[in-house]
Amino acid sequence: MEGKLLMRSCYVEDHVQLCHGSLQLGSIAACLLASSSSLLEKHFNSTSFDIIPTAAYQRCYASRLHLECSMLSSPVPSSAKGSKRNAEQLWQEFFSDTSQWWDHSCYKRSASYPDFKHKKTQEALWISSPSTPQWVKQKLAAMVPGTVQRSTFSWTVSIEKTVKNGEHLKALKLYQEMLGRGVHPDKFTFVWVLKACASLKTLEEGMKVHKNVIRLRCESDVFVASCLVDMYAKCGEVDKANQVFNTMKTQDLVSWNALIMGYVNCGQEKKAIKLFHQMQLKQVDPDRLTFVGVLNACAGIEALEEGKQVHAVLIARKCMLDLFLLNCLVTMYCKCGSIEDAWRVFKQMGEHDIVSWNAMISGYAKCGQGERALKLFRQMQQAKVQPDKITFVGVLNACANAGKLEEGRRLHAEILRSGLKLDLSLTNCLIDMYAKCESLIDACRVFDSMERQDVVSWNIMIMGSVKCRQAERSLQLYLQMQQEGVKPNMVTFMGALKASGMVGALEEGRHIHAELVHSRCELDTPLQNSLIDMHAKCGRIEDAMRVFNNMGQRDIVSWNTILMAFVNYGQGEKALELFQQMEQEPVAPDRITFVAVLQACSGKKASKEGKWIHSQIIRSGYMDDIVVGSCLVDMYLKCKSIDDAFRVFKTMPVHDLISWNTMIVGLVKCGQGKKALTLFRQLEQEPVKPDRFTFIGAISACASIAALEEGKRIHAKIIQSKWDSDIYVLSCLIDMYAKCGSIQNSSRIFTGMLMRDTVSWSAMLGGYAMHGLGKETLQLFEQMCQENVQMDSTIFISLLSACSHAGLLYEAYCYFETLTPVYGILATIELYSCLIDLLGRLGYLSEAEDTIIRMPCQPEISVLMALLAACRTHGNVQIAERVATRVFKLDPESSSGYVLLSNIYATSTKV
């Protein structure tokens, strides 16, 4: 059977009329009609469509087959076959008035389709027909192109071809040319033009096409309406897409999918999910694209329960064998934080492609399970699946989050060996991994090797330098970035402001603030929070408060930043006032808020306010938070409310090492050494390993109650736990043995220390002083001077105390006078107290009184009481009366002062 079946691939044209006289249907045509379904099926299998569903196309083709059956003809059809006029006459009429003919010559789908067709009679002409006279071709060659007007059909075919070739801009130009030549588009033209607009996301052109659709009354066509929905959705105008969707008489699957995907792409995932439910209520069967859209919507807003419902629908419809949908499910569960559900789907998959592995690896990395992500990556390699760029991005993020520097270096080497191109995004991931693993040298090496750095690259280096506590380098990078002509963004400014705060660089911070304003970058809440933090850390609490008050919108970070600023500067009352103000705002406190206000209460020993905050913690549901619970215990201990502290400690659901340490150290500070040691013994029965702070607390408890044997036992435990090389623990052991009367053990530990700091020297000095070993104290101090040990006030307190116990007045005066000029240490009230105590012990009461008068600050009552006691010892009534007057002014209700004075009077009377 010779000839070809002429069919349009995507629509039925209303304007095409068949030449009924020239072509006869006949028996062969009937056979073709009978077998049309198989022919159509074969044609559809070789053609891709992404707008109109296959069933709709089949209906179009069936209609077309009845309307347009230019069927059996010779390979080069005769123009005169079945015609009343021969080819010579037709060509003469053609050249006499070409405006009456349609030109299909350049846009035919096959050789059997006519080159020219009469607009009224539908008579056809073929240039390549054997019956075509020779003079015709010569005359056609001499004709000016465009003399014969092209039909809507030929314009549409041309537009369709350009769209299918991805030349969307060219398709729009053809459409404009078509309109300019006065050719009216039809509904099939609009389908392809709207598709071009959607691909280019040219909303303005799409709206113009929509106006023509309305003018030519094609908006009721389901294909055109679906394309309009798709165009508006892809151009970001989902509201207009929804308007077109609602006006459709029949909403097909394509229009539902277009609107669902439009909502997802525009960040309106909730509406996409709602539309999916409406679609189910209207009993419209979803397809693969529908499920992809709704799963992406669930992933976008982390709607886990909705995602599980979609999963259930997929199982009910037996769609679980689709690898693409399974990958979407894994991605959805990962983004919703349900990593175990994602792993369950992953394990049940019959096969895994690179997308499956990437989704699971990235999911583990995002959920902070870097170890499992790296293990899965190795399994992927064992399965002979070649990793791609997305794979390496996922595992690099896993290394960054888990701090796996060596694993990250191995991955870097694998990337280089694989021959994978180190593009900008992958290189940025490498820098980020090294920076987060605090290997700034490696990060700099990769950064410097880049051909081009974008703002993300600079931001990673700036923030990485901040994380590695190299704030000066971060500020240097910020300046270098601007010199390179890279425009900073919000992240850049936040990093630079944080670096300024870390080093207290107020001027640099103000300069960055000015550049931020000049850049016209949106001063959003995170940036304003960074400004508050910078001003606070630079000591400008007033400026920080000014930024806070001028904020249009404050989030929880804003409140926490300003609260911590006041707490760190010892202004606990102001912090509590702000917390009360915060309660009037629509911002719920979090764990950091409660930590800040509890520290504010601890600082001012406000037990009443602390109990009120305790009630707020219970109401907010943070009592089970271990950090908040530990801070609550610490607050009660600092306020000397030991029973309340124990009550909170016992009600905590779990105890970590911090909570144990808080209780033990807090009890020691409250003078409850026995209770602290009891708690330490309980800790030893728990599966929690003590750290340096635990041992320091336990040793201090032994020192406070002179429990030598218990101290020796804990010392053995320290050696067993390998904390015997820690300088702070050893310093506490020196102090403990000295206070327990074993100065020999203190000296032995001190001598055996490989390294000593100011604390260890001070502990040994204090031990000698406590035991009245003035000579040893002075020798140790001379040794310190020879070894250029950094001096502080604590050292001199121990030194003066030793002189006091040994009666070394001259040496004490010499050391006191050299404090500021030689060592650069300001005399504190504790140092004055040591000197006055020494003068009083030796009977130099007038000198002691003169020292009190010369003190740059108000003496504490303990200093005055010490001098009053010395007056009693040496029987000096006159000085005693003057000192007592000062005591009564400081504390009018001081009974001990009256008792001492009366004893002095009694002693002097007896004498």
Side-chain angles (χ1 to χ4, degrees), residues 55 127 148 156 281 289 298 444 456 790 799 836 865:
I127 298 171
V148 186
T156 303
L281 291 173
L289 185 61
C298 295
C444 290
V456 177
Q790 183 68 36
L799 188 62
I836 292 163
M865 291 296 290

Side-chain angles (χ1 to χ4, degrees), residues 370-371 374 377-378 392 395-396 398-415 417 430 433-442 445:
E371 295 279 1
L374 292 169
F377 173 67
R378 297 305 175 197
F392 284 117
V395 287
L396 285 172
C399 291
N401 296 333
K404 297 286 184 180
L405 178 60
E406 292 306 317
E407 188 69 27
R409 284 174 175 159
R410 282 194 289 270
L411 284 169
H412 190 177
E414 284 186 37
I415 293 169
R417 284 197 303 268
L430 276 169
M433 181 274 295
Y434 282 127
K436 286 181 178 175
C437 291
E438 299 191 16
S439 179
L440 206 57
I441 295 174
D442 288 316
R445 190 178 295 115

Side-chain angles (χ1 to χ4, degrees), residues 660-700:
W660 284 102
N661 289 349
T662 303
M663 276 299 297
I664 292 169
V665 175
L667 286 170
V668 173
K669 289 181 179 179
C670 290
Q672 301 289 323
K674 287 185 178 180
K675 289 184 178 180
L677 287 175
T678 303
L679 209 62
F680 177 74
R681 294 188 196 102
Q682 291 178 18
L683 169 63
E684 290 180 295
Q685 308 304 317
E686 299 288 332
V688 180
K689 290 184 178 180
D691 64 358
R692 83 156 50 141
F693 300 105
T694 322
F695 286 122
I696 287 171
I699 296 166
S700 300

Side-chain angles (χ1 to χ4, degrees), residues 247-367:
T247 58
M248 293 175 68
K249 294 180 180 179
T250 303
Q251 293 149 340
D252 62 353
L253 182 59
V254 177
S255 56
W256 285 98
N257 287 347
L259 194 55
I260 288 172
M261 292 302 295
Y263 279 129
V264 173
N265 294 332
C266 292
Q268 299 185 36
E269 289 87 352
K270 287 185 179 179
K271 289 186 177 179
I273 296 171
K274 183 180 179 181
L275 200 66
F276 174 71
H277 291 317
Q278 291 177 5
M279 180 180 178
Q280 288 182 302
L281 291 173
K282 293 195 175 183
Q283 296 182 343
V284 179
D285 287 336
D287 65 356
R288 183 186 200 220
L289 185 61
T290 318
F291 287 117
V292 169
V294 73
L295 286 171
N296 286 340
C298 295
I301 58 173
E302 299 182 7
L304 180 59
E305 292 305 316
E306 296 286 351
K308 287 182 176 180
Q309 290 177 18
V310 177
H311 190 174
V313 174
L314 280 168
I315 295 171
R317 294 176 61 84
K318 299 180 180 179
C319 298
M320 295 307 297
L321 295 177
D322 191 320
L323 181 61
F324 189 81
L325 281 175
L326 287 169
N327 289 340
C328 287
L329 272 170
V330 172
T331 303
M332 182 273 295
Y333 279 125
C334 288
K335 289 186 176 179
C336 290
S338 183
I339 197 70
E340 295 306 322
D341 284 317
W343 176 244
R344 197 174 296 112
V345 174
F346 183 83
K347 284 198 301 183
Q348 292 172 355
M349 293 170 68
E351 60 176 324
H352 301 116
D353 61 1
I354 187 64
V355 178
S356 320
W357 290 101
N358 288 348
M360 204 65 232
I361 290 169
S362 300
Y364 277 131
K366 180 189 173 186
C367 294

Side-chain angles (χ1 to χ4, degrees), residues 25-37 39 62 65-66 69 71:
L25 192 60
S27 60
I28 299 178
C31 293
L32 283 171
L33 283 173
S35 61
S36 61
S37 59
L39 288 172
L65 202 59
H66 286 287
C69 289
M71 310 207 54

Side-chain angles (χ1 to χ4, degrees), residues 103 351 400-401 519 649 851 885:
D103 182 5
E351 60 176 324
N401 296 333
S519 70
F649 183 78
T851 304
T885 303

Side-chain angles (χ1 to χ4, degrees), residues 337-610:
S338 183
I339 197 70
E340 295 306 322
D341 284 317
W343 176 244
R344 197 174 296 112
V345 174
F346 183 83
K347 284 198 301 183
Q348 292 172 355
M349 293 170 68
E351 60 176 324
H352 301 116
D353 61 1
I354 187 64
V355 178
S356 320
W357 290 101
N358 288 348
M360 204 65 232
I361 290 169
S362 300
Y364 277 131
K366 180 189 173 186
C367 294
Q369 298 188 32
E371 295 279 1
R372 294 186 71 176
L374 292 169
K375 182 179 178 182
L376 199 66
F377 173 67
R378 297 305 175 197
Q379 290 178 9
M380 171 184 167
Q381 290 181 310
Q382 291 170 5
K384 306 298 182 184
V385 178
Q386 187 68 28
D388 61 6
K389 187 180 88 170
I390 298 173
T391 319
F392 284 117
V393 167
V395 287
L396 285 172
N397 287 334
C399 291
N401 296 333
K404 297 286 184 180
L405 178 60
E406 292 306 317
E407 188 69 27
R409 284 174 175 159
R410 282 194 289 270
L411 284 169
H412 190 177
E414 284 186 37
I415 293 169
L416 296 176
R417 284 197 303 268
S418 69
L420 195 66
K421 184 181 178 182
L422 274 174
D423 63 0
L424 197 59
S425 61
L426 189 55
T427 312
N428 285 341
C429 279
L430 276 169
I431 300 171
D432 185 60
M433 181 274 295
Y434 282 127
K436 286 181 178 175
C437 291
E438 299 191 16
S439 179
L440 206 57
I441 295 174
D442 288 316
C444 290
R445 190 178 295 115
V446 177
F447 180 81
D448 293 336
S449 68
M450 296 175 71
E451 294 181 3
R452 181 180 68 88
Q453 298 104 348
D454 63 354
V455 67
V456 177
S457 317
W458 288 97
N459 288 346
I460 292 169
M461 286 301 300
I462 290 170
M463 296 300 288
S465 300
V466 170
K467 178 178 174 61
C468 295
R469 296 167 295 282
Q470 296 189 25
E472 294 87 353
R473 181 177 182 82
S474 182
L475 292 172
Q476 183 183 355
L477 283 164
Y478 172 74
L479 295 174
Q480 185 182 345
M481 170 186 177
Q482 292 176 306
Q483 291 169 0
E484 295 285 339
V486 180
K487 188 177 178 181
N489 60 13
M490 289 193 302
V491 178
T492 320
F493 287 121
M494 287 173 68
L497 288 169
K498 191 169 185 179
S500 301
M502 286 176 68
V503 293
L506 180 62
E507 290 305 315
E508 285 83 350
R510 286 176 170 170
H511 183 67
I512 293 165
H513 189 181
E515 289 179 344
L516 171 60
V517 175
H518 181 70
S519 70
R520 296 183 180 178
C521 189
E522 183 184 357
L523 201 62
D524 60 359
T525 304
L527 263 177
Q528 289 176 309
N529 293 341
S530 298
L531 281 169
I532 295 170
D533 183 65
M534 183 273 294
H535 284 301
K537 287 180 178 174
C538 290
R540 302 294 299 179
I541 194 74
E542 301 86 1
D543 292 334
M545 193 64 191
R546 190 177 300 112
V547 175
F548 179 81
N549 289 331
N550 291 332
M551 290 179 71
Q553 185 177 3
R554 306 183 188 112
D555 60 5
I556 188 62
V557 178
S558 317
W559 287 98
N560 290 345
T561 305
I562 197 68
L563 283 170
M564 289 302 297
F566 280 110
V567 170
N568 292 335
Y569 279 88
Q571 299 185 32
E573 291 183 2
K574 181 64 178 177
L576 292 173
E577 288 177 13
L578 276 171
F579 179 65
Q580 290 175 345
Q581 181 184 340
M582 178 183 172
E583 287 200 306
Q584 311 303 319
E585 300 284 333
V587 180
D590 63 1
R591 58 146 55 163
I592 299 174
T593 317
F594 288 122
V595 167
V597 291
L598 285 171
Q599 288 179 2
C601 292
S602 300
K604 65 190 291 288
K605 296 180 175 58
S607 180
K608 183 180 177 182
E609 289 85 349

